Amino acid sequence: LLALSFVLVLSTRLAAGMSMTAVEAAPRVVGGSATSPALKHAVLARCSTSDARVCSLELPHNKLELPIFMPVGTAAAVKGLTVEEMEALEVPLILGNTYHLALRPTTELLDDCGGLHKFMGWRRAMLTDSGGFQMVSLLKLANITEEGVTFQSPSDGSKMLLTPEKSIQLQNEIGADIMMALDDVVSSTTPSRERVEEAMHRTLRWIDRCISAHSRPQEQNLFGIVQGGLDLDLRAQCCVELVKRDLPGYAIGGLSGGEAKDQFWRVVYHCTQRLPANKPRYCMGVGYPVDLVVCVALGVDMFDCVYPARTARFGVALTDEGNMQLKNKKFKSDLSPIEKDCKCVTCARFTRAYLHCLASKEQTGARLVTIHNIAYMMRLGERMREAIRADEFPQFVLAYFEKWYPDGDWPQWCFDALAQVKINLPHPPKEAVKKEKKKESEDKPTKVEGE
């Protein structure tokens, strides 16, 4: 099915006269202005080889540095963790979902409480998705028109009309530091260029409605989302039009939905080359550690995904040497921590043998592995920032890939993407296709509803 989807997308692109191999670098956009009193952004350091950079981002509830990974707390909680544990892990920014929060506990209640921050006791920064992703994840329960999207609740069957104006109203009530505009999201494997183009143009019409509906610009920041599927021309057109709106930040949406990774990185690079250098760039739904490293090299600043928490519940720990399947019998008597250099409470106090005993069977095991996985993602961001500051990011990338792929079987798409920004892995992949498929089958990350 994936092969068929790729063939359909490839045929569509070729019919439109587009190249699958060439990635056009646009002239770097450096214009723009400080468009929001609720956001201060500055580039602190740049990699002299790639497009990686370190930025400061000051928001109403917190000041942080980019690149950063945001854990997903869809319904006012990251599964299994308390806000105190998130603070101890030095998480500066989390994500919530407007659609789910509107259903439960309802934004009216959140507004009465003074916003989601007070409701859940979170004192740091927060970003809310607009509800647009549910057009894909709940497609069978959604009806999309120019007015908005009508969802049928998967729990009680009730209907909700989510318009751009309603999405912004809900997010104003939630009170997140960063709000995402409602966009028309289609699956990245959609073969119809006509539908993709319709969604891109509708996204642009909806951004203007979102801007008009935004009632708290002094306190909250509205980010636009680049759509256009896998069509580089549509992506470029969407970037140009969104940049004209001079928004506080921009996101690359509509990816991580099953498209070939060779298409994924080309779209990401195509967009980062066309988005302003003085604004945050956010790649939505990306959570594989290797994907983060590559996308940072391509110029992305922010990421989110349910993957680190979700995969923990299946007994999978994230490490520099790849995914550790703690359910594997080889860990039954292993008295070492998940990672010796990790300072999280899980690695400080518990052994692989203990976690093997609990993995995917006890809630305690899921919590402990989740703590480690979130700590790992925070530490990965910190190490990348340190490497960029020291102008040693290419060396960091090479060392990271040599540990993750000790046999040199890194995927071809990684090799090509990094080469695009002048980071050259030592040699072409060795049996990359076969080995990559094996890794993906062991624990494939997916966007999961209701994380």
Side-chain angles (χ1 to χ4, degrees), residues 324-365:
M324 181 178 291
Q325 306 281 346
L326 289 165
K327 292 183 291 184
N328 194 304
K329 291 181 180 179
K330 69 179 181 179
F331 297 117
K332 184 177 181 180
S333 302
D334 191 335
L335 300 181
S336 57
I338 295 173
E339 285 192 302
K340 293 180 181 178
D341 295 334
C342 180
K343 296 180 181 179
C344 77
V345 66
T346 301
C347 290
R349 300 188 62 177
F350 303 104
T351 65
R352 297 174 182 180
Y354 178 68
L355 296 169
H356 166 80
C357 182
L358 302 181
S360 74
K361 299 176 183 177
E362 298 286 344
Q363 289 185 358
T364 301

Side-chain angles (χ1 to χ4, degrees), residues 257-311:
E259 73 278 356
K261 283 297 183 68
D262 186 63
Q263 297 170 305
F264 163 81
W265 82 260
R266 293 175 191 278
V267 170
V268 171
Y269 181 69
H270 202 70
C271 293
T272 59
Q273 292 295 295
R274 287 159 176 80
L275 293 174
N278 64 336
K279 304 290 180 72
R281 307 183 194 120
Y282 164 30
C283 193
M284 306 179 78
V286 173
Y288 255 168
V290 166
D291 292 10
L292 261 69
V293 173
V294 173
C295 287
V296 166
L298 299 178
V300 178
D301 304 314
M302 301 166 63
F303 306 88
D304 83 280
C305 192
V306 300
Y307 175 65
R310 173 185 176 268
T311 199

Side-chain angles (χ1 to χ4, degrees), residues 143-179:
N143 179 39
I144 304 164
T145 66
E146 188 62 28
E147 182 182 10
V149 54
T150 301
F151 292 108
Q152 181 178 350
S153 170
S155 55
D156 62 10
S158 61
K159 291 187 177 181
M160 173 200 292
L161 173 61
L162 189 65
T163 65
E165 294 80 7
K166 184 65 174 178
S167 175
I168 297 303
Q169 177 199 331
L170 296 172
Q171 292 186 80
N172 283 152
E173 292 171 348
I174 292 169
D177 300 70
I178 298 173
M179 313 184 305

